[in-house]
Amino acid sequence: MQVDVNLDKNASYKVHINELERLCFDTKVVVLTNETIAKLHLNTLLEKIQAKELFVVKIKDGEEYKNLQTIEYILEQMFSYKLDRKSLLISFGGGVVSDMGGFVASIYQRGIDFINIPTTLLACVDASVGGKTGINNKFGKNLIGTFYQPKAVYCQSEFLKTLTSRELAAGMAEFIKMAVIFDEKILDFLENLDENKFLNASLDDEIFAKIIQKSIELKANIVSQDEKESGLRMLLNYGHTFAHVIENQTYYKTYLHGEAVAIGMNMANTLAVDLGLLDEYECKRVANLLKKFKLPIFYRILNVDEFYEAFFLDKKTHHQKINFILPCGLGKACIKNDISKENIMQTLKVFI
Ligand code: GLY
């Protein structure tokens, strides 16, 4: 099964779902992965790749390593392997690996091709598609990066079978995000999905494939209309304005990205209820779905003023106006940049 991501200037590519058989290249190839994935799946992948020369760069596993220091390490390895401008980088891992792999590919000798082979549900349903690359620094999440599209993406449900229930749930958070902002029918589907089978990674391959396909179709539709996030694509950041502050305040160690997004969605929904965009029942429905998949929905804000100030470092803040992505009923979302400080503080105080 394939989903097309249609973009301008020959930048279009395909997302292949459960179609990875053999990859042949007449160039040097470097596989970027992390230590955890290397132990579990690297041999399986390497057996499928034929290249002029094949190298592997392994990095530490975790969002806290998504920084300039790790980028420098990857670049040094690539220079030591004498990769040239025709070489290809394959990101093999979760969102952290694909964000960093894409970033390195975009700057190595002014840019080389790269392919994403995501191994987490979160990376399959969101991070590996759309060309956002980047790293975190002390000022915030993903504040350094580029838009740089992969040449292809291969999602394989076999790699999801070794994920922990926590990692699976984190991926589910991004799928729930898609449901809330674009398609209420997905909420019905998820309410009927067996959460135990899902969290034990024992769902049928076809169901995993269906989840990935649906999410990528929705995302591809948005990205093809607004690749560089000048408007419409901002909707995909629903929950993220809050989540990025939470991740930064907890030094990227306490929550997986999807977990922070789950809390962020609940915070955004609380604000949406306060503004009359969502009713209490709809807010509860989403909270219950997040809880069904064992996702957190609450973060204790220790200092509301600090939390509020942190919004101003978000990439979506322009001219001191914070862009909040809020659901307007279920299955629809809007961008609001005129919410009063009073309303925002009222929501933040719900979480003290
Ligand atoms: N993860 C949101 C986006 O790719 O735009």
Side-chain angles (χ1 to χ4, degrees):
M1 164 192 305
Q2 300 175 357
V3 180
D4 291 309
V5 183
N6 295 313
L7 299 163
D8 293 341
K9 300 191 211 111
N10 301 325
S12 300
Y13 55 96
K14 287 189 188 303
V15 180
H16 303 261
I17 303 168
N18 291 343
E19 285 190 339
L20 178 59
E21 306 255 304
R22 189 143 191 84
L23 297 172
C24 300
F25 308 99
D26 55 5
T27 58
K28 293 186 184 184
V29 172
V30 60
V31 175
L32 175 69
T33 190
N34 68 35
E35 289 164 355
T36 314
I37 294 301
K39 278 193 205 112
L40 293 167
H41 301 297
L42 186 59
N43 287 341
T44 311
L45 179 71
L46 295 183
E47 276 166 18
K48 293 180 195 281
I49 301 176
Q50 192 184 314
K52 198 164 160 203
E53 284 180 79
L54 186 55
F55 304 97
V56 174
V57 176
K58 282 183 220 166
I59 55 176
K60 291 203 169 78
D61 185 9
E63 184 84 36
E64 67 267 39
Y65 301 106
K66 199 173 109 173
N67 54 32
L68 266 180
Q69 212 181 331
T70 308
I71 294 295
E72 182 65 30
Y73 169 76
I74 301 167
L75 287 169
E76 278 176 10
Q77 299 292 301
M78 290 168 67
F79 284 113
S80 73
Y81 296 143
K82 300 194 172 44
L83 299 182
D84 58 28
R85 298 179 84 175
K86 297 261 181 260
S87 301
L88 175 93
L89 184 145
I90 297 179
S91 293
F92 185 49
V96 171
V97 171
S98 64
D99 281 9
M100 283 202 284
F103 183 53
V104 165
S106 74
I107 59 173
Y108 186 81
Q109 298 191 359
R110 298 220 168 87
I112 61 170
D113 288 349
F114 82 111
I115 284 178
N116 277 330
I117 306 184
T119 57
T120 64
L121 183 63
L122 186 136
C124 286
V125 299
D126 185 52
S128 66
V129 175
K132 277 191 181 175
T133 84
I135 50 170
N136 312 322
N137 68 2
K138 71 173 179 187
F139 293 98
K141 171 123 174 153
N142 296 339
L143 292 181
I144 301 168
T146 53
F147 283 101
Y148 197 68
Q149 299 292 340
K151 290 291 165 201
V153 179
Y154 292 86
C155 301
Q156 292 291 104
S157 42
E158 66 182 281
F159 296 133
L160 308 182
K161 297 290 166 73
T162 53
L163 292 174
T164 62
S165 53
R166 209 180 146 203
E167 286 166 317
L168 283 163
M172 180 54 82
E174 292 279 6
F175 191 48
I176 293 173
K177 173 192 86 175
M178 291 301 206
V180 175
I181 59 178
F182 296 131
D183 190 347
E184 192 181 356
K185 282 203 256 32
I186 301 175
L187 293 177
D188 302 329
F189 163 75
L190 292 177
E191 280 160 350
N192 291 310
L193 190 74
D194 182 336
E195 67 273 21
N196 294 320
K197 268 192 165 179
F198 171 78
L199 293 169
N200 294 332
S202 55
L203 276 188
D204 292 346
D205 275 355
E206 300 85 77
I207 303 188
F208 271 128
K210 188 174 163 187
I211 290 172
I212 297 166
Q213 182 195 13
K214 187 69 199 166
S215 191
I216 296 305
E217 278 171 359
L218 290 167
K219 181 159 184 181
N221 178 36
I222 297 296
V223 171
S224 60
Q225 295 176 68
D226 178 22
E227 182 186 351
K228 302 257 166 90
E229 198 170 291
S230 40
L232 187 65
R233 185 167 177 173
M234 268 196 245
L235 296 179
L236 296 176
N237 295 319
Y238 160 55
H240 287 59
T241 308
F242 295 95
H244 287 175
V245 178
I246 295 169
E247 288 182 274
N248 188 251
Q249 286 196 342
T250 52
Y251 306 100
Y252 305 98
K253 286 183 181 164
T254 310
Y255 299 103
L256 296 174
H257 174 61
E259 293 173 331
V261 169
I263 301 169
M265 288 192 280
N266 192 40
M267 288 179 165
N269 293 357
T270 306
L271 181 57
V273 171
D274 196 35
L275 298 172
L277 300 170
L278 197 68
D279 67 37
E280 294 272 4
Y281 166 78
E282 292 167 323
C283 181
K284 245 199 158 70
R285 187 174 170 203
V286 178
N288 285 339
L289 192 58
L290 294 167
K291 285 198 278 185
K292 166 177 159 139
F293 290 102
K294 308 280 183 279
L295 285 158
I297 58 167
F298 190 87
Y299 167 76
R300 188 166 305 286
I301 298 177
L302 295 177
N303 183 327
V304 281
D305 295 306
E306 255 177 37
F307 200 100
Y308 178 81
E309 283 308 315
F311 286 138
F312 291 94
L313 286 171
D314 191 276
K315 294 192 293 316
K316 293 181 296 309
T317 297
H318 305 298
H319 308 298
Q320 291 298 99
K321 288 200 179 297
I322 313 164
N323 283 297
F324 282 99
I325 318 304
L326 300 176
C328 308
L330 293 177
K332 276 191 282 18
C334 52
I335 303 166
K336 292 268 168 206
N337 70 3
D338 56 356
I339 304 173
S340 70
K341 180 171 179 182
E342 200 189 343
N343 278 123
I344 299 168
M345 290 304 254
Q346 200 164 303
T347 290
L348 297 184
K349 285 180 187 154
V350 173
F351 293 86
I352 57 179

